[in-house]
Amino acid sequence: MFYIYPPSGKISLHHMENSVFTRLDYLEHLYSDRVKYFHGNFEFLLENTLHDRVGHFTLRLLAALSSDLWTYWSVREVLLFKHRLAKISSKLLYKLLRSFSQQIKPFNSESLIQLTLYQISILYLKPHIFKHLSYNHSEECKLYSCKVRFELLPNLIKSRKVTINAGYAIIYCSQWKLLLESLFFTYLRYEVNNLTSYALRIIKTDQRLKVLYQRIQKNIFKSETKYGIITAVNINTESNHFPPCMKHLHTVLRNKHRLSHYARFTLSLFLKDCGMELNDAIIYWKEEYSKEHNCNSVCLHNWNASEKKFIYSIRHLYGLEGSKKDYAAPDCSIICKTMPGPKYEGGCPFQHFDEIHLKHLLSSSLKERKLMNFIKTIHRRKPNEACAEYLKLITKRTQILFISNPVQFYHMLNKT
Ligand code: SF4
């Protein structure tokens, strides 16, 4: 439950994915206090089993790739730890403390958190203290205590649950669960920070993990989507939170009142996945396509002449007509690869635009000097890395490393 090192050996991709998605599903049920409605396979969640460890360590690795996934996962993972700790038997507690003292080598350990875990396990494993902890004792009990560096326990310090003396928090025996819970969070944060560059390297080379990461992002964002965030009325304001690719399409549509087929398809699905309701989508497209086009656009349709067709195709994208398929907004990798024709207005600006057009597009969010510096740094980068760098700049975040879908960009910027 408080794992220090990942398991070794092999596991099939299928089992790894099941371990991860079952865990995410359970964590979400736990977080929303709906555990009794969880119908997943508990086999993947049994403590100290290979599946439980694989689910935990895979998410630990992927959480190092974005602050959003880290925030989402860490809160829930700590809750699971707390939940398990609340029901822990003396036997399992003994095993847990032993696992710290066996796995952590105090003389090789460079981190304060590992050293602290080792020292606590040695103290709590003393027979008389262990016996004392294993039996229910008063919540006020202060018979035994230990000292822990205050920076390891930010949650306890913030909630003023401990006394501080000369840089150390005094933890009484009645607070041992609070102590382990707080150290668990600190340990995860420490590990995830250390894993960042490794995670970034591995996601670039291992297609399986890359796809898994994208699926997790979609899964989490999708469940967070509330239809109706973007409306036909507020879309101009909301477009300030769009990624450059979608902001560009929205601007072209507003100026020229037409888009080519594939650009229309891409923008529609993006708006749908960001939460635009069907009626708003119809109003949005009707508003533009009812106007005279003012360009040599490839699309010469007019709303009044083809209203039924337009409505049918929008409903189709919402999964309400034809095959009733649930279409999803294309990923960055598809947008970067697809150039359906010379008159296509879309694409990824970091891949397909020349410097002048890219500067013009980004100039509304970045001041001249920042923009120039940014442009200088991106020419050797992959489009989604450049996009993540751009998002970092405009949000002043430090931990966005990977953009895989325009919807992800919108959600990240919206949450800032
Ligand atoms: Fe859009 Fe993706 Fe390109 Fe960013 S990297 S501009 S989200 S296609």
Side-chain angles (χ1 to χ4, degrees), residues 292-347:
E292 279 299 311
H293 71 88
N294 58 9
C295 63
N296 300 326
S297 165
V298 283
C299 176
L300 299 176
H301 300 306
N302 179 281
W303 187 274
N304 292 335
S306 331
E307 184 173 54
K308 270 192 181 170
K309 263 191 185 172
F310 273 115
I311 294 182
Y312 180 89
S313 79
I314 296 170
R315 286 176 57 82
H316 191 258
L317 292 179
Y318 274 74
L320 300 169
E321 300 289 353
S323 58
K324 306 218 162 134
K325 193 174 158 192
D326 183 17
Y327 291 97
D331 281 338
C332 300
S333 55
I334 296 176
I335 295 175
C336 287
K337 272 187 218 145
T338 315
M339 281 306 276
K343 294 201 173 157
Y344 175 53
E345 312 86 336

Short mmCIF file of all heavy atoms in Angstrom, two decimals, residues 292-347:
data_model
loop_
_atom_site.label_atom_id
_atom_site.label_comp_id
_atom_site.label_asym_id
_atom_site.label_seq_id
_atom_site.Cartn_x
_atom_site.Cartn_y
_atom_site.Cartn_z
N GLU A 292 -23.06 35.80 -46.20
CA GLU A 292 -22.36 35.66 -47.49
C GLU A 292 -20.89 35.37 -47.22
O GLU A 292 -20.29 36.05 -46.37
CB GLU A 292 -22.47 36.96 -48.28
CG GLU A 292 -23.79 37.13 -49.02
CD GLU A 292 -24.02 36.03 -50.05
OE1 GLU A 292 -23.09 35.76 -50.84
OE2 GLU A 292 -25.11 35.42 -50.03
N HIS A 293 -20.33 34.42 -47.89
CA HIS A 293 -18.89 34.20 -47.68
C HIS A 293 -18.12 35.31 -48.39
O HIS A 293 -18.59 35.86 -49.39
CB HIS A 293 -18.47 32.82 -48.17
CG HIS A 293 -18.48 32.67 -49.65
ND1 HIS A 293 -17.41 32.99 -50.43
CD2 HIS A 293 -19.45 32.24 -50.47
CE1 HIS A 293 -17.71 32.74 -51.69
NE2 HIS A 293 -18.94 32.29 -51.74
N ASN A 294 -16.98 35.67 -47.85
CA ASN A 294 -16.20 36.76 -48.44
C ASN A 294 -14.80 36.28 -48.84
O ASN A 294 -13.82 36.95 -48.62
CB ASN A 294 -16.13 37.96 -47.49
CG ASN A 294 -15.51 37.60 -46.17
OD1 ASN A 294 -14.99 36.50 -46.04
ND2 ASN A 294 -15.55 38.49 -45.21
N CYS A 295 -14.74 35.10 -49.38
CA CYS A 295 -13.44 34.58 -49.80
C CYS A 295 -13.64 33.57 -50.92
O CYS A 295 -14.76 33.29 -51.32
CB CYS A 295 -12.78 33.88 -48.62
SG CYS A 295 -13.75 32.48 -48.09
N ASN A 296 -12.52 33.01 -51.34
CA ASN A 296 -12.63 31.96 -52.36
C ASN A 296 -12.65 30.60 -51.69
O ASN A 296 -11.96 29.68 -52.09
CB ASN A 296 -11.44 32.02 -53.32
CG ASN A 296 -11.39 33.33 -54.02
OD1 ASN A 296 -12.45 33.91 -54.30
ND2 ASN A 296 -10.18 33.83 -54.27
N SER A 297 -13.42 30.52 -50.63
CA SER A 297 -13.42 29.27 -49.87
C SER A 297 -13.89 28.11 -50.73
O SER A 297 -14.69 28.28 -51.64
CB SER A 297 -14.36 29.44 -48.67
OG SER A 297 -14.65 28.20 -48.13
N VAL A 298 -13.34 26.92 -50.38
CA VAL A 298 -13.78 25.73 -51.12
C VAL A 298 -15.22 25.38 -50.78
O VAL A 298 -15.88 24.68 -51.52
CB VAL A 298 -12.89 24.52 -50.79
CG1 VAL A 298 -11.58 24.62 -51.51
CG2 VAL A 298 -12.68 24.37 -49.30
N CYS A 299 -15.70 25.87 -49.65
CA CYS A 299 -17.06 25.53 -49.23
C CYS A 299 -18.01 26.67 -49.58
O CYS A 299 -17.90 27.76 -49.04
CB CYS A 299 -17.07 25.27 -47.73
SG CYS A 299 -18.74 24.95 -47.14
N LEU A 300 -18.92 26.39 -50.49
CA LEU A 300 -19.84 27.45 -50.91
C LEU A 300 -21.27 27.18 -50.44
O LEU A 300 -22.22 27.75 -50.96
CB LEU A 300 -19.81 27.58 -52.44
CG LEU A 300 -18.43 27.95 -53.02
CD1 LEU A 300 -18.47 27.95 -54.53
CD2 LEU A 300 -17.97 29.29 -52.49
N HIS A 301 -21.40 26.30 -49.46
CA HIS A 301 -22.75 26.00 -48.98
C HIS A 301 -23.38 27.22 -48.34
O HIS A 301 -22.68 28.10 -47.84
CB HIS A 301 -22.71 24.90 -47.91
CG HIS A 301 -22.14 23.62 -48.42
ND1 HIS A 301 -22.62 22.99 -49.52
CD2 HIS A 301 -21.13 22.87 -47.94
CE1 HIS A 301 -21.92 21.89 -49.71
NE2 HIS A 301 -21.00 21.80 -48.77
N ASN A 302 -24.71 27.20 -48.32
CA ASN A 302 -25.43 28.26 -47.65
C ASN A 302 -26.44 27.63 -46.72
O ASN A 302 -27.10 26.66 -47.08
CB ASN A 302 -26.13 29.13 -48.71
CG ASN A 302 -26.90 30.24 -48.05
OD1 ASN A 302 -28.00 30.02 -47.56
ND2 ASN A 302 -26.30 31.42 -48.04
N TRP A 303 -26.56 28.19 -45.52
CA TRP A 303 -27.42 27.55 -44.52
C TRP A 303 -28.87 27.45 -45.01
O TRP A 303 -29.49 26.39 -44.92
CB TRP A 303 -27.36 28.35 -43.20
CG TRP A 303 -28.10 27.63 -42.10
CD1 TRP A 303 -29.43 27.71 -41.83
CD2 TRP A 303 -27.56 26.69 -41.18
NE1 TRP A 303 -29.76 26.88 -40.79
CE2 TRP A 303 -28.62 26.24 -40.36
CE3 TRP A 303 -26.28 26.17 -40.95
CZ2 TRP A 303 -28.45 25.32 -39.33
CZ3 TRP A 303 -26.11 25.25 -39.92
CH2 TRP A 303 -27.19 24.83 -39.13
N ASN A 304 -29.40 28.56 -45.55
CA ASN A 304 -30.82 28.55 -45.93
C ASN A 304 -31.11 27.50 -46.99
O ASN A 304 -32.16 26.85 -46.95
CB ASN A 304 -31.24 29.93 -46.45
CG ASN A 304 -31.22 30.92 -45.30
OD1 ASN A 304 -31.35 30.53 -44.14
ND2 ASN A 304 -31.00 32.19 -45.61
N ALA A 305 -30.16 27.33 -47.91
CA ALA A 305 -30.40 26.37 -48.99
C ALA A 305 -30.25 24.92 -48.51
O ALA A 305 -30.88 24.01 -49.06
CB ALA A 305 -29.42 26.64 -50.13
N SER A 306 -29.41 24.69 -47.50
CA SER A 306 -29.14 23.30 -47.10
C SER A 306 -29.30 23.09 -45.59
O SER A 306 -28.53 22.34 -45.00
CB SER A 306 -27.74 22.88 -47.50
OG SER A 306 -27.27 23.52 -48.60
N GLU A 307 -30.26 23.74 -45.00
CA GLU A 307 -30.40 23.67 -43.53
C GLU A 307 -30.49 22.24 -43.02
O GLU A 307 -29.80 21.85 -42.07
CB GLU A 307 -31.62 24.47 -43.07
CG GLU A 307 -31.72 24.48 -41.55
CD GLU A 307 -32.81 25.39 -41.03
OE1 GLU A 307 -33.97 25.23 -41.46
OE2 GLU A 307 -32.49 26.25 -40.20
N LYS A 308 -31.32 21.44 -43.70
CA LYS A 308 -31.52 20.05 -43.23
C LYS A 308 -30.20 19.28 -43.22
O LYS A 308 -29.89 18.55 -42.29
CB LYS A 308 -32.52 19.35 -44.14
CG LYS A 308 -33.94 19.50 -43.67
CD LYS A 308 -34.80 18.55 -44.44
CE LYS A 308 -36.24 18.71 -44.00
NZ LYS A 308 -37.14 17.99 -44.87
N LYS A 309 -29.46 19.46 -44.30
CA LYS A 309 -28.17 18.76 -44.43
C LYS A 309 -27.21 19.16 -43.30
O LYS A 309 -26.54 18.34 -42.70
CB LYS A 309 -27.51 19.11 -45.77
CG LYS A 309 -27.73 18.13 -46.86
CD LYS A 309 -26.79 18.52 -47.96
CE LYS A 309 -27.00 17.69 -49.18
NZ LYS A 309 -26.21 18.20 -50.28
N PHE A 310 -27.18 20.48 -43.06
CA PHE A 310 -26.29 20.98 -42.00
C PHE A 310 -26.67 20.38 -40.65
O PHE A 310 -25.82 19.88 -39.91
CB PHE A 310 -26.36 22.50 -41.91
CG PHE A 310 -25.42 23.20 -42.85
CD1 PHE A 310 -25.92 23.97 -43.89
CD2 PHE A 310 -24.06 23.07 -42.72
CE1 PHE A 310 -25.07 24.60 -44.77
CE2 PHE A 310 -23.19 23.71 -43.59
CZ PHE A 310 -23.70 24.48 -44.63
N ILE A 311 -27.97 20.46 -40.36
CA ILE A 311 -28.40 19.97 -39.04
C ILE A 311 -28.12 18.48 -38.91
O ILE A 311 -27.65 18.00 -37.88
CB ILE A 311 -29.89 20.31 -38.80
CG1 ILE A 311 -30.03 21.83 -38.71
CG2 ILE A 311 -30.41 19.64 -37.53
CD1 ILE A 311 -31.41 22.35 -38.43
N TYR A 312 -28.37 17.75 -40.02
CA TYR A 312 -28.11 16.31 -39.98
C TYR A 312 -26.63 16.03 -39.70
O TYR A 312 -26.28 15.21 -38.86
CB TYR A 312 -28.53 15.67 -41.32
CG TYR A 312 -28.29 14.17 -41.34
CD1 TYR A 312 -29.27 13.29 -40.90
CD2 TYR A 312 -27.07 13.65 -41.79
CE1 TYR A 312 -29.05 11.92 -40.90
CE2 TYR A 312 -26.84 12.29 -41.79
CZ TYR A 312 -27.82 11.42 -41.36
OH TYR A 312 -27.59 10.07 -41.35
N SER A 313 -25.77 16.79 -40.39
CA SER A 313 -24.33 16.47 -40.21
C SER A 313 -23.86 16.86 -38.81
O SER A 313 -23.01 16.18 -38.23
CB SER A 313 -23.48 17.07 -41.32
OG SER A 313 -23.27 18.42 -41.07
N ILE A 314 -24.42 17.93 -38.23
CA ILE A 314 -24.01 18.28 -36.84
C ILE A 314 -24.53 17.20 -35.88
O ILE A 314 -23.79 16.72 -35.01
CB ILE A 314 -24.56 19.67 -36.45
CG1 ILE A 314 -23.92 20.75 -37.34
CG2 ILE A 314 -24.24 19.98 -34.98
CD1 ILE A 314 -24.55 22.13 -37.20
N ARG A 315 -25.78 16.80 -36.08
CA ARG A 315 -26.34 15.75 -35.20
C ARG A 315 -25.55 14.44 -35.34
O ARG A 315 -25.36 13.70 -34.39
CB ARG A 315 -27.82 15.51 -35.54
CG ARG A 315 -28.73 16.65 -35.05
CD ARG A 315 -30.19 16.43 -35.49
NE ARG A 315 -30.71 15.16 -35.03
CZ ARG A 315 -31.21 14.92 -33.82
NH1 ARG A 315 -31.26 15.90 -32.94
NH2 ARG A 315 -31.66 13.73 -33.49
N HIS A 316 -25.09 14.19 -36.56
CA HIS A 316 -24.30 12.99 -36.82
C HIS A 316 -23.01 13.01 -35.97
O HIS A 316 -22.64 12.01 -35.34
CB HIS A 316 -23.96 12.93 -38.32
CG HIS A 316 -23.39 11.64 -38.75
ND1 HIS A 316 -22.05 11.47 -38.97
CD2 HIS A 316 -23.96 10.43 -38.98
CE1 HIS A 316 -21.82 10.22 -39.32
NE2 HIS A 316 -22.96 9.56 -39.35
N LEU A 317 -22.36 14.17 -35.93
CA LEU A 317 -21.12 14.28 -35.14
C LEU A 317 -21.40 14.13 -33.64
O LEU A 317 -20.53 13.73 -32.87
CB LEU A 317 -20.43 15.62 -35.41
CG LEU A 317 -19.85 15.80 -36.82
CD1 LEU A 317 -19.21 17.17 -36.96
CD2 LEU A 317 -18.82 14.72 -37.13
N TYR A 318 -22.60 14.45 -33.24
CA TYR A 318 -22.98 14.29 -31.83
C TYR A 318 -23.49 12.87 -31.54
O TYR A 318 -24.00 12.60 -30.45
CB TYR A 318 -24.05 15.32 -31.44
CG TYR A 318 -23.45 16.66 -31.01
CD1 TYR A 318 -22.91 17.53 -31.94
CD2 TYR A 318 -23.40 17.03 -29.67
CE1 TYR A 318 -22.35 18.74 -31.57
CE2 TYR A 318 -22.83 18.24 -29.27
CZ TYR A 318 -22.31 19.09 -30.24
OH TYR A 318 -21.74 20.29 -29.86
N GLY A 319 -23.38 12.01 -32.54
CA GLY A 319 -23.77 10.61 -32.33
C GLY A 319 -25.26 10.39 -32.30
O GLY A 319 -25.75 9.41 -31.72
N LEU A 320 -26.03 11.29 -32.97
CA LEU A 320 -27.49 11.17 -32.91
C LEU A 320 -28.11 10.72 -34.22
O LEU A 320 -29.32 10.53 -34.32
CB LEU A 320 -28.12 12.53 -32.51
CG LEU A 320 -27.67 13.07 -31.16
CD1 LEU A 320 -28.11 14.51 -30.97
CD2 LEU A 320 -28.22 12.21 -30.03
N GLU A 321 -27.30 10.60 -35.27
CA GLU A 321 -27.82 10.17 -36.57
C GLU A 321 -26.90 9.09 -37.14
O GLU A 321 -25.79 8.89 -36.65
CB GLU A 321 -27.87 11.35 -37.56
CG GLU A 321 -28.73 12.52 -37.15
CD GLU A 321 -30.23 12.23 -37.21
OE1 GLU A 321 -30.61 11.15 -37.70
OE2 GLU A 321 -31.01 13.08 -36.73
N GLY A 322 -27.37 8.45 -38.21
CA GLY A 322 -26.56 7.46 -38.92
C GLY A 322 -26.10 6.34 -38.02
O GLY A 322 -26.91 5.73 -37.32
N SER A 323 -24.81 6.08 -38.02
CA SER A 323 -24.28 4.95 -37.25
C SER A 323 -24.28 5.23 -35.74
O SER A 323 -23.94 4.37 -34.95
CB SER A 323 -22.84 4.67 -37.70
OG SER A 323 -22.09 5.85 -37.51
N LYS A 324 -24.63 6.45 -35.35
CA LYS A 324 -24.67 6.89 -33.94
C LYS A 324 -23.34 6.66 -33.23
O LYS A 324 -23.28 6.31 -32.06
CB LYS A 324 -25.82 6.19 -33.20
CG LYS A 324 -27.15 6.36 -33.88
CD LYS A 324 -28.27 6.54 -32.90
CE LYS A 324 -29.46 7.14 -33.62
NZ LYS A 324 -30.73 6.58 -33.41
N LYS A 325 -22.29 6.86 -33.98
CA LYS A 325 -20.95 6.66 -33.43
C LYS A 325 -20.57 7.86 -32.57
O LYS A 325 -20.94 8.99 -32.87
CB LYS A 325 -19.98 6.54 -34.62
CG LYS A 325 -18.64 6.04 -34.25
CD LYS A 325 -17.81 5.80 -35.49
CE LYS A 325 -16.35 5.83 -35.08
NZ LYS A 325 -15.45 5.90 -36.18
N ASP A 326 -19.85 7.58 -31.49
CA ASP A 326 -19.40 8.67 -30.62
C ASP A 326 -18.05 9.17 -31.13
O ASP A 326 -17.01 8.67 -30.74
CB ASP A 326 -19.30 8.15 -29.17
CG ASP A 326 -18.91 9.25 -28.21
OD1 ASP A 326 -19.03 10.43 -28.59
OD2 ASP A 326 -18.47 8.93 -27.09
N TYR A 327 -18.07 10.14 -32.02
CA TYR A 327 -16.82 10.66 -32.58
C TYR A 327 -16.08 11.48 -31.54
O TYR A 327 -16.71 12.16 -30.73
CB TYR A 327 -17.10 11.56 -33.78
CG TYR A 327 -17.63 10.83 -34.98
CD1 TYR A 327 -19.00 10.78 -35.22
CD2 TYR A 327 -16.78 10.20 -35.87
CE1 TYR A 327 -19.51 10.12 -36.33
CE2 TYR A 327 -17.27 9.53 -36.98
CZ TYR A 327 -18.64 9.48 -37.20
OH TYR A 327 -19.13 8.82 -38.29
N ALA A 328 -14.75 11.41 -31.59
CA ALA A 328 -13.95 12.22 -30.64
C ALA A 328 -13.07 13.18 -31.44
O ALA A 328 -12.70 12.91 -32.58
CB ALA A 328 -13.07 11.30 -29.80
N ALA A 329 -12.75 14.30 -30.82
CA ALA A 329 -11.87 15.29 -31.46
C ALA A 329 -10.54 14.63 -31.80
O ALA A 329 -9.99 13.89 -30.98
CB ALA A 329 -11.64 16.46 -30.52
N PRO A 330 -10.01 14.87 -33.01
CA PRO A 330 -8.75 14.22 -33.38
C PRO A 330 -7.59 14.64 -32.48
O PRO A 330 -7.55 15.78 -32.00
CB PRO A 330 -8.49 14.69 -34.82
CG PRO A 330 -9.59 15.59 -35.19
CD PRO A 330 -10.54 15.73 -34.05
N ASP A 331 -6.68 13.70 -32.24
CA ASP A 331 -5.48 13.99 -31.45
C ASP A 331 -4.52 14.88 -32.24
O ASP A 331 -4.58 14.94 -33.47
CB ASP A 331 -4.75 12.68 -31.14
CG ASP A 331 -5.42 11.93 -30.01
OD1 ASP A 331 -6.14 12.58 -29.23
OD2 ASP A 331 -5.22 10.71 -29.91
N CYS A 332 -3.59 15.47 -31.51
CA CYS A 332 -2.57 16.33 -32.15
C CYS A 332 -1.81 15.55 -33.22
O CYS A 332 -1.48 16.09 -34.28
CB CYS A 332 -1.58 16.83 -31.11
SG CYS A 332 -2.35 17.80 -29.84
N SER A 333 -1.50 14.27 -32.93
CA SER A 333 -0.70 13.52 -33.90
C SER A 333 -1.45 13.42 -35.23
O SER A 333 -0.84 13.49 -36.30
CB SER A 333 -0.39 12.13 -33.35
OG SER A 333 -1.57 11.48 -33.00
N ILE A 334 -2.78 13.29 -35.19
CA ILE A 334 -3.55 13.20 -36.43
C ILE A 334 -3.60 14.58 -37.10
O ILE A 334 -3.39 14.70 -38.31
CB ILE A 334 -4.97 12.68 -36.14
CG1 ILE A 334 -4.86 11.26 -35.59
CG2 ILE A 334 -5.85 12.72 -37.38
CD1 ILE A 334 -6.15 10.65 -35.16
N ILE A 335 -3.82 15.61 -36.29
CA ILE A 335 -3.88 16.97 -36.86
C ILE A 335 -2.54 17.31 -37.52
O ILE A 335 -2.50 17.91 -38.59
CB ILE A 335 -4.23 18.00 -35.77
CG1 ILE A 335 -5.64 17.73 -35.25
CG2 ILE A 335 -4.14 19.43 -36.29
CD1 ILE A 335 -6.07 18.58 -34.08
N CYS A 336 -1.46 16.90 -36.89
CA CYS A 336 -0.14 17.22 -37.43
C CYS A 336 0.14 16.48 -38.75
O CYS A 336 0.82 16.98 -39.62
CB CYS A 336 0.96 16.87 -36.43
SG CYS A 336 1.01 18.01 -35.05
N LYS A 337 -0.44 15.28 -38.86
CA LYS A 337 -0.14 14.49 -40.06
C LYS A 337 -1.08 14.82 -41.22
O LYS A 337 -0.76 14.61 -42.37
CB LYS A 337 -0.31 13.00 -39.73
CG LYS A 337 0.96 12.38 -39.18
CD LYS A 337 0.76 10.88 -39.05
CE LYS A 337 1.43 10.37 -37.79
NZ LYS A 337 0.74 9.29 -37.14
N THR A 338 -2.30 15.31 -40.89
CA THR A 338 -3.32 15.44 -41.93
C THR A 338 -3.28 16.80 -42.62
O THR A 338 -3.39 17.83 -41.98
CB THR A 338 -4.73 15.25 -41.30
OG1 THR A 338 -4.67 14.13 -40.44
CG2 THR A 338 -5.79 15.05 -42.36
N MET A 339 -3.12 16.77 -43.93
CA MET A 339 -3.28 17.99 -44.74
C MET A 339 -4.13 17.60 -45.93
O MET A 339 -3.61 17.26 -47.01
CB MET A 339 -1.91 18.51 -45.19
CG MET A 339 -1.15 19.27 -44.12
SD MET A 339 -2.08 20.63 -43.39
CE MET A 339 -1.76 21.92 -44.55
N PRO A 340 -5.45 17.61 -45.79
CA PRO A 340 -6.30 17.03 -46.82
C PRO A 340 -6.29 17.76 -48.17
O PRO A 340 -6.69 17.21 -49.17
CB PRO A 340 -7.71 17.07 -46.21
CG PRO A 340 -7.61 17.79 -44.94
CD PRO A 340 -6.19 18.12 -44.65
N GLY A 341 -5.86 19.00 -48.23
CA GLY A 341 -5.83 19.69 -49.53
C GLY A 341 -5.18 21.05 -49.40
O GLY A 341 -5.00 21.54 -48.29
N PRO A 342 -4.81 21.65 -50.53
CA PRO A 342 -4.10 22.94 -50.47
C PRO A 342 -4.93 24.05 -49.85
O PRO A 342 -4.39 25.03 -49.34
CB PRO A 342 -3.76 23.23 -51.93
CG PRO A 342 -4.64 22.35 -52.73
CD PRO A 342 -5.00 21.18 -51.91
N LYS A 343 -6.26 23.94 -49.90
CA LYS A 343 -7.08 25.03 -49.38
C LYS A 343 -7.53 24.79 -47.94
O LYS A 343 -8.33 25.53 -47.39
CB LYS A 343 -8.31 25.21 -50.27
CG LYS A 343 -7.90 25.69 -51.64
CD LYS A 343 -9.02 26.35 -52.37
CE LYS A 343 -8.47 26.95 -53.66
NZ LYS A 343 -9.49 27.13 -54.66
N TYR A 344 -7.00 23.74 -47.35
CA TYR A 344 -7.35 23.43 -45.95
C TYR A 344 -6.81 24.53 -45.05
O TYR A 344 -5.64 24.90 -45.12
CB TYR A 344 -6.72 22.07 -45.61
CG TYR A 344 -6.88 21.63 -44.18
CD1 TYR A 344 -8.13 21.57 -43.57
CD2 TYR A 344 -5.76 21.23 -43.43
CE1 TYR A 344 -8.26 21.15 -42.26
CE2 TYR A 344 -5.89 20.80 -42.13
CZ TYR A 344 -7.14 20.77 -41.55
OH TYR A 344 -7.27 20.35 -40.25
N GLU A 345 -7.68 25.06 -44.18
CA GLU A 345 -7.28 26.19 -43.33
C GLU A 345 -6.68 25.73 -42.01
O GLU A 345 -6.21 26.54 -41.23
CB GLU A 345 -8.50 27.07 -42.97
CG GLU A 345 -9.39 27.47 -44.11
CD GLU A 345 -10.45 26.44 -44.42
OE1 GLU A 345 -10.26 25.25 -44.08
OE2 GLU A 345 -11.48 26.79 -44.99
N GLY A 346 -6.75 24.42 -41.74
CA GLY A 346 -6.38 23.95 -40.40
C GLY A 346 -4.95 23.46 -40.30
O GLY A 346 -4.05 23.98 -40.95
N GLY A 347 -4.75 22.46 -39.43
CA GLY A 347 -3.41 21.94 -39.17
C GLY A 347 -2.91 22.45 -37.84
O GLY A 347 -3.59 23.24 -37.16
#
